[in-house]
Amino acid sequence: MTILEIKKYPNPILRKKCKEVKEITKEIKALARNMVETMTESEGIGLAAPQVGELKRVIVVHPIRNRSLKARDETNPQAFINPKIIRKSKEAEIDEEGCLSFPGLFLKIKRAKKVVIEALNQEGKKIQIKAEGLPARVFQHEIDHLDGILFIDKIPFRQRLKIRKKLKEIAKQYVFNRLFN
Ligand SMILES: [Zn+2]
């Protein structure tokens, strides 16, 4: 297994739309495994493929906090391929979110409280997941990543002005890493 480099804001890859996975190849399985490893190492609870530089519709979600995740194996973090939100509750919740591509930034984001997700598991089997609360939030956040949507897009303009300084700091680190690594 390999720990992958997490692409940080404002890496342009984070704004690209990901392609559907047509076939679950060895490479896709390896990507999913490495993403799980990378997420665990970074103490994240979710990670999307563009965050590790792959424009493929693959996300991983950590199950420990996924108490309402109704999938087969709850002991290991799981990969979801071509995930889609097929139902969303009107009821929404505001809670704090972070993102591994934005170190140190936490924002209160409004999301649907419950979602139903359809995806393929790593064996290529179609699965449906009902999620509520935190896991529902993680799924919505990660699926947004597959369309180039970031959590900073979800806050009102006035709040965006408030985080300008923090965003600049993250961007500065990004430029530094590009120059010296
Ligand atoms: Zn994120």
Side-chain angles (χ1 to χ4, degrees):
M1 279 194 225
T2 318
I3 303 293
L4 305 166
E5 186 208 337
I6 295 177
K7 309 292 177 192
K8 308 274 164 55
Y9 171 86
N11 191 315
I13 201 158
L14 296 172
R15 287 300 187 185
K16 302 244 163 80
K17 219 175 141 80
C18 296
K19 290 212 174 81
E20 195 136 317
V21 174
K22 297 262 191 267
E23 198 191 335
I24 299 176
T25 56
K26 257 196 283 177
E27 287 73 25
I28 292 290
K29 284 185 180 175
L31 172 66
R33 265 199 315 272
N34 292 335
M35 281 172 65
V36 165
E37 192 82 341
T38 305
M39 171 179 70
T40 308
E41 174 80 15
S42 321
E43 292 177 0
I45 52 171
L47 186 67
Q51 292 181 279
V52 293
E54 293 282 345
L55 292 172
K56 297 183 175 102
R57 301 191 81 84
V58 178
I59 62 169
V60 293
V61 175
H62 205 286
I64 291 170
R65 313 256 195 104
N66 268 339
R67 296 190 199 286
S68 62
L69 187 77
K70 288 190 182 122
R72 279 185 317 178
D73 182 2
E74 299 215 17
T75 54
N76 291 308
Q78 291 179 65
F80 300 91
I81 296 155
N82 300 335
K84 247 186 279 174
I85 297 171
I86 55 166
R87 238 176 301 146
K88 209 184 232 193
S89 66
K90 283 211 183 80
E91 197 185 342
E93 265 177 353
I94 297 174
D95 210 344
E96 200 163 74
E97 266 176 44
C99 178
L100 292 174
S101 295
F102 291 81
L105 183 65
F106 297 92
L107 298 172
K108 286 203 152 79
I109 309 281
K110 191 176 175 184
R111 303 264 186 201
K113 191 178 174 192
K114 296 178 193 175
V115 289
V116 180
I117 309 293
E118 201 169 81
L120 298 177
N121 69 9
Q122 285 163 90
E123 283 80 51
K125 194 182 154 218
K126 203 180 235 188
I127 52 168
Q128 260 191 24
I129 306 107
K130 284 184 191 162
E132 187 179 338
L134 183 63
R137 176 170 297 278
V138 176
F139 274 110
Q140 290 171 82
H141 178 117
E142 302 313 330
I143 291 173
D144 272 350
H145 269 299
L146 302 181
D147 292 314
I149 299 165
L150 303 172
F151 74 153
I152 51 169
D153 304 339
K154 302 268 174 184
I155 57 171
F157 182 69
R158 276 179 70 177
Q159 203 185 336
R160 202 149 170 178
L161 289 178
K162 278 194 216 152
I163 62 162
R164 235 175 8 185
K165 212 176 133 208
K166 185 79 204 165
L167 281 182
K168 249 189 209 155
E169 272 170 38
I170 298 171
K172 228 189 250 170
Q173 196 59 43
Y174 168 77
V175 173
F176 180 87
N177 286 339
R178 279 192 50 172
L179 290 174
F180 299 106
N181 289 326

